[in-house]
Amino acid sequence: MGHRDLEKNRGVPPQHVSNFYITSSPYYNAESSSDSTQWTSWLVPMIVVANVAMFIVIMLVNDCPKNHHNGKVGGDCVGRFLGRMSFQPLKENPLFGPSSSTLEKLGALEWKKVVNDNQAWRLVSCIWLHAGVVHLLANMLSLVFIGIRLEQQFGFARVAVIYMLSGIGGSVLSTLFIKNNISVGASGALFGLLGAMLSELLTNWTIYANKAAALTTLVIIILINLAVGILPHVDNFAHIGGFLTGFLLGFVLLLRPQFAWQERRHLPVEARTKSKYTVFQYVFWVLSVIFVIAGFTVGLIMLFKGENGNDHCSWCHYLSCVPTSRWHCNNR
């Protein structure tokens, strides 16, 4: 990979990439009413197909045998029997994928392109690009484990909104704090779904069984995934931005009626619980809407004014990489 980073899991070795997005479908165990809608999941499979198709396009455009000068940068193409689909040398890209120049050409997130060249579309396009087979498999498996359960319970529309806005939120925060590298991947979108799972558990607290166990398990999973982000070449700002966006959107889009209302809704009118939702749910709905709008507004204004987030937060770069005697960080 040399001096260029390729992804939101930038250049991280395969064993670390595979540790991202550990999901917890066994703990997503809200006890809804017996006649609640069970949606058929089709959006998540379509997203997976779209990402795989996009990766094939990336590799065809990359065309390593034609565009790579053998022996000059890290050795020969890997898997030359694949023809145009063969991978860049592993010293350049250990994730079995294309070159950074190919990703940049096809829409990778890059501060200069977004701010100086007014290419805001890269905030979205980077979500659909992956730096290699390892990166693609890790993200798509995670999407299947997280996304299908959410889509079955809440429908494709709400999951689609959370997925896309979280991906964009991750892109915005990443661009504000990281100026020198390109970035690709669905990391922000996936962390957004993980954040939505947490807020869904909190806002629908009354209808969950084994509340403490579910909350503890989910928080541990989230902390482990975020902790991986402090390794070098990993864009933890995309993870954090996506997670915060999804967490707030979960309060807005994933509400369920409180347990007492569900139990009493078939009783005579005078015996029913008056409110379908709790005061807590209403308050967090309003606050979350405000924070989402304010966050995107402030973030986009700062971004297109060309401001560097590190100038406003001198310690924030440690959220994405903590230097040690074994590695250094260049994420500012």
Side-chain angles (χ1 to χ4, degrees):
M1 290 190 193
H3 66 287
R4 281 298 182 98
D5 290 318
L6 294 178
E7 42 160 335
K8 288 199 171 118
N9 306 325
R10 294 180 181 136
V12 67
Q15 64 267 29
H16 295 308
V17 173
S18 62
N19 285 337
F20 291 177
Y21 318 120
I22 304 169
T23 59
S24 59
S25 56
Y27 307 102
Y28 193 83
N29 59 353
E31 294 183 342
S32 303
S33 58
S34 58
D35 57 350
S36 62
T37 302
Q38 182 77 8
W39 300 79
T40 299
S41 177
W42 62 268
L43 174 70
V44 170
M46 288 298 295
I47 293 176
V48 172
V49 170
N51 277 279
V52 172
M54 191 64 218
F55 185 73
I56 292 174
V57 172
I58 292 170
M59 295 309 301
L60 290 174
V61 172
N62 187 67
D63 195 357
C64 184
K66 177 181 178 181
N67 298 320
H68 177 70
H69 301 292
N70 294 333
K72 293 186 178 181
V73 183
D76 294 336
C77 299
V78 177
R80 292 186 68 88
F81 64 90
L82 296 172
R84 293 182 63 177
M85 294 287 292
S86 58
F87 311 117
Q88 293 298 116
L90 294 182
K91 288 185 178 180
E92 182 180 350
N93 185 348
L95 300 179
F96 297 96
S99 66
S100 58
S101 60
T102 297
L103 292 170
E104 182 179 348
K105 178 165 59 177
L106 292 177
L109 189 64
E110 184 178 13
W111 183 84
K112 290 188 299 182
K113 299 285 187 182
V114 173
V115 177
N116 296 337
D117 298 338
N118 298 314
Q119 296 181 6
W121 54 270
R122 290 179 179 268
L123 296 172
V124 178
S125 62
C126 66
I127 301 170
W128 302 94
L129 305 178
H130 286 84
V133 173
V134 175
H135 185 204
L136 179 68
L137 287 176
N139 278 356
M140 292 305 99
L141 288 173
S142 300
L143 174 60
V144 168
F145 292 144
I146 300 174
I148 285 182
R149 179 59 66 92
L150 283 175
E151 187 179 357
Q152 286 175 339
Q153 296 197 355
F154 295 100
F156 71 91
R158 285 182 277 187
V159 171
V161 171
I162 294 171
Y163 184 86
M164 287 305 304
L165 288 183
S166 296
I168 296 170
S171 296
V172 170
L173 194 65
S174 173
T175 313
L176 280 173
F177 283 93
I178 298 180
K179 307 293 184 182
N180 301 321
N181 302 300
I182 67 171
S183 181
V184 298
S187 305
L190 290 170
F191 265 87
L193 295 181
L194 203 55
M197 289 177 66
L198 178 59
S199 56
E200 191 275 329
L201 168 61
L202 294 175
T203 195
N204 300 321
W205 188 256
T206 61
I207 63 173
Y208 266 79
N210 301 318
K211 298 175 176 63
L215 178 62
T216 301
T217 303
L218 191 53
V219 168
I220 290 174
I221 290 169
I222 291 168
L223 291 177
I224 290 174
N225 280 273
L226 289 174
V228 174
I230 66 174
L231 294 170
H233 310 298
V234 180
D235 184 0
N236 214 25
F237 287 114
H239 301 170
I240 295 170
F243 175 81
L244 292 176
T245 304
F247 180 72
L248 293 173
L249 289 174
F251 286 115
V252 177
L253 297 176
L254 304 185
L255 273 75
R256 294 175 184 268
Q258 60 172 308
F259 184 72
W261 182 88
Q262 292 190 38
E263 280 207 317
R264 293 172 175 266
R265 61 178 171 165
H266 298 299
L267 298 177
V269 176
E270 61 275 6
R272 297 178 189 174
T273 300
K274 293 182 179 181
S275 178
K276 187 174 182 179
Y277 301 101
T278 65
V279 174
F280 169 87
Q281 288 175 304
Y282 285 120
V283 170
F284 273 83
W285 190 95
V286 172
L287 291 176
S288 296
V289 169
I290 294 172
F291 285 138
V292 167
I293 294 174
F296 272 100
T297 301
V298 173
L300 290 172
I301 290 174
M302 289 179 62
L303 177 60
F304 291 112
K305 286 177 64 177
E307 295 193 29
N308 188 335
N310 293 292
D311 294 337
H312 301 275
C313 180
S314 60
W315 55 267
C316 283
H317 61 280
Y318 292 117
L319 295 174
S320 189
C321 181
V322 177
T324 70
S325 58
R326 292 180 175 272
W327 61 69
H328 67 279
C329 300
N330 183 28
N331 59 349
R332 301 183 69 177

